[in-house]
């Protein structure tokens, strides 16, 4: 029988449809601490992954890449926030999920450009 929670992960995967396949990721995503400038200027076929440990118990994995489905090319922004309990400790569910959600939102917000914001508010790519 489980005695506590040792690890909690919260993951958000965003698919952003590109208007045409020649668009660079930087046409949609803002530069920030989680993606290199060269990635934002890349041609199709790119992939970037950053794994950041802000504490021994907390890590974030941010992956930016491209997916193609038929004729549609999409940017993929995958944010995975993870908290692990210290040895012989247990995580509290609600406060940990809130912390992870806030972290994921902060990371996603750092990628927002005017164009991406307009798309999210119902505009066309």
């Amino acid at each position: 029988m489980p005695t506590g929670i040792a690890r909690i992960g919260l993951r958000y995967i965003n698919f952003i449809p590109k208007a045409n396949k020649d668009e660079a990721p930087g046409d949609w995503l803002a530069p920030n601490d989680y993606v290199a400038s060269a990635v934002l200027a890349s041609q199709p076929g790119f992939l970037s992954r950053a794994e950041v440990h802000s504490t021994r118990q907390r890590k974030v994995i941010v992956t930016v890449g491209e997916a193609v489905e038929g004729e549609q090319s999409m940017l993929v922004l995958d944010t995975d926030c993870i908290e692990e309990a210290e040895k012989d400790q247990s995580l509290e569910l609600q406060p940990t999920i809130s912390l992870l959600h806030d972290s994921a939102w902060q990371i996603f917000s750092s990628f927002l450009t005017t164009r991406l914001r307009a798309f999210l508010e119902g505009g066309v790519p």
Side-chain angles (χ1 to χ4, degrees):
M1 171 166 237
T3 59
I5 301 171
R7 179 179 178 171
I8 298 174
L10 184 65
R11 187 172 184 190
Y12 289 101
I13 303 173
N14 298 277
F15 294 95
I16 305 160
K18 292 166 59 175
N20 68 66
K21 53 186 160 185
D22 294 328
E23 291 178 313
D27 293 340
W28 286 95
L29 304 174
N32 61 47
D33 292 340
Y34 298 95
V35 64
S37 300
V39 173
L40 294 177
S42 182
Q43 294 297 306
F46 66 93
L47 178 68
S48 173
R49 179 176 184 220
E51 183 171 325
V52 178
H53 296 251
S54 58
T55 69
R56 286 184 186 198
Q57 291 75 37
R58 188 172 304 139
K59 72 178 170 182
V60 173
I61 303 167
V62 178
T63 306
V64 179
E66 182 178 46
V68 178
E69 188 175 299
E71 293 295 313
Q72 179 63 58
S73 179
M74 295 171 275
L75 297 175
V76 179
L77 175 55
D78 180 344
T79 306
D80 193 5
C81 301
I82 301 162
E83 183 83 12
E84 294 189 37
E86 292 189 45
K87 187 175 181 171
D88 299 325
Q89 298 291 322
S90 182
L91 296 171
E92 293 183 46
L93 187 60
Q94 187 57 47
T96 304
I97 289 174
S98 292
L99 179 95
L100 295 174
H101 171 74
D102 291 348
S103 179
W105 179 249
Q106 180 182 22
I107 292 166
F108 178 77
S109 296
S110 73
F111 279 97
L112 285 175
T113 58
T114 303
R115 184 175 188 188
L116 180 54
R117 188 178 304 275
F119 170 71
L120 294 171
E121 292 173 353
V124 294

